[in-house]
Amino acid sequence: ASIYSILGNMYHEIGYDSLAFHYHKLGLDIRKSFNNKLLYAQSLNNLANIARSYYGKDSALSMYKEALIITRANNSQRLESALLNNIGEIYLDWNEYKKSEYFLNQSLEIKEKLNDIYGIAYTIQNLSRLSFKEKQLKRSEELILNGLSIAQQ
């Protein structure tokens, strides 16, 4: 399953999303058969990342939400924060700003508890994009400079 995931990531990076989706789906099926719920949720997240561009954000959102339910039930905060961020990004792309902010702030809160510096900076970047899209330019600038400062630590 891990090898399929690596192949999926590799094909995604070079723009072959149909092959990327295929390999991530193979990895997902294997992980589902082992009944390891966290690995299954991680594979579902990987598949959703590809589905976002290949099948559309509706199917990706459904996968992210399924993975989030599994992840919360199995107490994996790192994966939970990534999923919350991914869900927030989709709502941001759809201009559903309140929903986006809700999920991004949840993600940020977890990342701060975990002291995940890269994750904090990444989610702050998304919050800055949100502020920019809402025409809150000063807030957007403050956030992006804060994120940059954190990333440079």
Side-chain angles (χ1 to χ4, degrees):
S2 295
I3 292 171
Y4 286 137
S5 182
I6 291 167
L7 283 168
N9 290 338
M10 202 172 67
Y11 281 117
H12 177 64
E13 286 299 315
I14 59 174
Y16 292 110
D17 282 344
S18 63
L19 280 172
F21 190 86
H22 170 74
Y23 283 110
H24 279 299
K25 178 77 170 87
L26 288 173
L28 178 73
D29 292 342
I30 289 170
R31 287 189 168 154
K32 187 174 187 176
S33 71
F34 287 146
N35 202 27
N36 183 322
K37 294 190 186 303
L38 279 177
L39 287 177
Y40 176 76
Q42 178 62 57
S43 290
L44 200 54
N45 180 56
N46 292 341
L47 191 63
N49 289 338
I50 304 303
R52 270 169 95 162
S53 58
Y54 190 65
Y55 285 110
K57 293 180 175 94
D58 287 325
S59 68
L61 183 60
S62 171
M63 289 182 221
Y64 287 139
K65 286 183 174 182
E66 180 184 348
L68 183 60
I69 290 166
I70 294 166
T71 301
R72 283 181 167 163
N74 289 276
N75 299 314
S76 175
Q77 289 189 318
R78 188 165 304 277
L79 181 55
E80 179 181 354
S81 70
L83 289 161
L84 290 165
N85 187 80
N86 292 341
I87 293 168
E89 286 178 342
I90 287 179
Y91 285 122
L92 180 59
D93 290 343
W94 286 342
N95 299 325
E96 294 187 37
Y97 302 137
K98 293 295 179 203
K99 287 182 181 179
S100 176
E101 184 176 30
Y102 173 78
F103 286 100
L104 291 173
N105 280 328
Q106 283 186 64
S107 174
L108 182 61
E109 184 179 316
I110 293 169
K111 288 173 179 170
E112 287 172 340
K113 286 179 189 172
L114 297 173
N115 198 31
D116 176 2
I117 300 301
Y118 169 77
I120 292 167
Y122 188 81
T123 299
I124 287 175
Q125 173 190 339
N126 283 329
L127 287 164
S128 174
R129 283 182 46 225
L130 171 65
S131 294
F132 185 82
K133 288 181 91 170
E134 290 185 306
K135 309 279 189 257
Q136 298 175 5
L137 303 182
K138 183 69 176 160
R139 174 84 174 129
S140 178
E141 179 186 35
E142 290 169 359
L143 285 165
I144 203 67
L145 291 174
N146 183 31
L148 179 61
S149 172
I150 290 168
Q152 291 175 334
Q153 291 180 9

